[in-house]
Amino acid sequence: MIGATGVPGPSSRTSLFDSLSQCGISIGVNKEDLRRRVMIPNRLCTAMREAMRLKEATVDMAEPSYVAEEEEPPENPLVVFVNCKSGGRHGPILKGRLQELIGESQVLDLSLVNPSDFVQYGLACLEVLAQSGDSCARITRKNLRIMVAGGDGTVGWLLGCLGELKVQNREPVPPISIIPLGTGNDLSRSFGWEGDIEGEVPEKTFCFEGVFYNYISIGMDAQVAYGFHNLRDEKPYLAHGPIANKLIYAGYTCSQGWFFTPCISDPSLRGLTNILRISIKKINSNEWEQIPVPPSVRAIVALNLHNYGSGRHPWGNLKPEYLEKRGFVEAQVDDGLLEIFGLKQGWHASLVMVELISAKHIAQAAAIRFEIRGGQWKDAYMQTDGEPWKQPLSSEYSTFVEIKRVPFQSLIVNGDVN
């Protein structure tokens, strides 16, 4: 993604122009020409902001009708979302440069603007104006491009919100331009708390939905990520680069006891088999099949892309004999399958991350259902695409996480961060 490594340096400006080029904008244009191509007319920006503020799509433009008729729509209208908390807190610098290039109105800070509000009210405002005969609004909506500056979780968040356009038949879905730190095109996955619940249902139930495109995990790795994110929020000056970040991660892994799990009686450091049940659907099957959770694993990851943890390949390149023995197929980015693997403890995870060994292979599946129940655990640490959270647990009822493929593909534009 844009924004993580080396944003203050000149190479980031090159990457930024590469990303603009991928949106159909020539790298060699000057600032004024760039603004002419991408800047949305002020009256439309104002209307979209008001629609998001008032949370309604019908906004009185209070402008003479001839203004819309005489306006020339931009050739490549662009809206940029910036997560200022991503990438070692370099987001504010990147946000400032983008605002300098294309203006403040079209660079949205994700700490201030919710992407779902942009989709539900901002884009809907353009659609209402287009339906009323505003040709500039119609062409702007049709040609609109989205750029994302942030981490994996930021992209997954935005993809999930834009996916609603497809569900609501409000096409076209704006193309998204991203500069990935990893690789590839992906097939996004949605996750939510749903499914058939056995036994007595609590009076209050909560259901959430989201989208990830790289991985979702539970356990040891998510707990370490949670500690790192809290530290970065409290002391952002410590997390100032990849090397410092890796040292902090290693420190959290040691301090939380993951290297000494055989000697520690803390229930939260025991295997996930105490709190977790996994069910899967195989490809071309509608039946759920429960699979055992290995007692030794303390983190389970469902991997959609090959990469994990800064470009590592924990699933590994498996030999044909092993694939046949386990009933697996060679992992491909477009095979419609998730790879499920486990990490046993800190030492095992370290060897996996330096690719000396593979992770513990558990299953390949087209859909996954996690059932989590507390017991001696009060919380479970989880993360999607590097964004961790602490999931409250209860010994009286289960939390269900169901993962399935979304009905549309998300194209990610390749690029390099120098």
Side-chain angles (χ1 to χ4, degrees), residues 153-384:
T154 305
V155 178
W157 183 16
L158 191 60
L159 287 172
C161 294
L162 290 175
E164 287 299 308
L165 293 172
K166 190 82 172 182
V167 174
Q168 299 169 13
N169 294 319
R170 291 169 54 196
E171 299 194 53
V173 178
I176 301 179
S177 177
I178 307 163
I179 301 180
L181 294 178
T183 60
N185 298 329
D186 81 276
L187 303 176
S188 298
R189 300 277 176 166
S190 67
F191 66 96
W193 282 255
E194 57 180 63
D196 300 325
I197 301 176
E198 299 177 359
E200 189 174 342
V201 180
E203 293 182 6
K204 291 185 178 180
T205 59
F206 302 91
C207 183
F208 305 91
E209 291 186 358
V211 171
F212 72 92
Y213 76 96
N214 194 344
Y215 67 91
I216 183 171
S217 71
I218 176 172
M220 172 176 64
D221 67 327
Q223 182 175 356
V224 174
Y226 185 84
F228 170 79
H229 277 245
N230 281 344
L231 177 67
R232 187 173 66 178
D233 286 341
E234 295 170 4
K235 301 176 180 179
Y237 55 87
L238 293 178
H240 56 76
I243 296 177
N245 293 350
K246 284 180 173 62
L247 290 173
I248 294 170
Y249 264 92
Y252 266 110
T253 304
C254 292
S255 65
Q256 291 171 352
W258 291 114
F259 281 102
F260 313 103
T261 49
C263 309
I264 296 177
S265 60
D266 186 344
S268 66
L269 295 177
R270 295 176 189 164
L272 290 173
T273 187
N274 296 304
I275 65 163
L276 181 65
R277 285 199 299 182
I278 303 177
S279 299
I280 66 170
K281 284 183 181 179
K282 294 183 178 179
I283 196 123
N284 299 323
S285 173
N286 293 321
E287 298 296 325
W288 288 105
E289 172 189 338
Q290 187 171 336
I291 60 174
V293 178
S296 60
V297 302
R298 290 165 176 83
I300 283 183
V301 182
L303 194 63
N304 190 33
L305 299 181
H306 294 168
N307 288 352
Y308 167 84
S310 302
R312 306 302 192 275
H313 300 275
W315 187 256
N317 297 315
L318 308 183
K319 296 181 179 180
E321 303 82 37
Y322 180 81
L323 292 172
E324 184 178 358
K325 178 181 177 181
R326 294 294 306 271
F328 294 158
V329 297
E330 185 178 355
Q332 301 289 342
V333 73
D334 57 352
D335 58 10
L337 292 172
L338 291 154
E339 281 69 47
I340 308 171
F341 66 85
L343 301 172
K344 297 178 182 179
Q345 22 75 7
W347 295 110
H348 179 247
S350 298
L351 294 173
V352 170
M353 293 302 284
V354 296
E355 300 185 2
L356 290 178
I357 60 174
S358 297
K360 185 170 182 60
H361 306 116
I362 297 176
Q364 286 181 313
I368 304 171
R369 178 183 290 166
F370 293 145
E371 180 185 355
I372 315 166
R373 187 181 288 262
Q376 292 180 298
W377 293 41
K378 295 182 180 179
D379 304 288
Y381 291 89
M382 303 184 69
Q383 64 171 333
T384 58

Side-chain angles (χ1 to χ4, degrees), residues 91-165:
I93 299 172
L94 180 61
K95 174 185 169 184
R97 286 189 174 177
L98 286 165
Q99 288 180 335
E100 179 186 342
L101 284 171
I102 64 174
E104 296 184 7
S105 299
Q106 291 164 234
V107 181
L108 306 181
D109 188 332
L110 281 168
S111 65
L112 304 175
V113 178
N114 190 320
S116 61
D117 287 344
F118 172 77
V119 170
Q120 188 171 353
Y121 305 112
L123 286 185
C125 173
L126 279 182
E127 292 162 3
V128 168
L129 291 170
Q131 290 168 5
S132 70
D134 188 330
S135 62
C136 184
R138 176 178 57 79
I139 296 172
T140 298
R141 171 65 181 89
K142 178 182 177 182
N143 296 333
L144 187 66
R145 301 291 186 269
I146 303 292
M147 185 185 294
V148 188
D152 292 349
T154 305
V155 178
W157 183 16
L158 191 60
L159 287 172
C161 294
L162 290 175
E164 287 299 308
L165 293 172

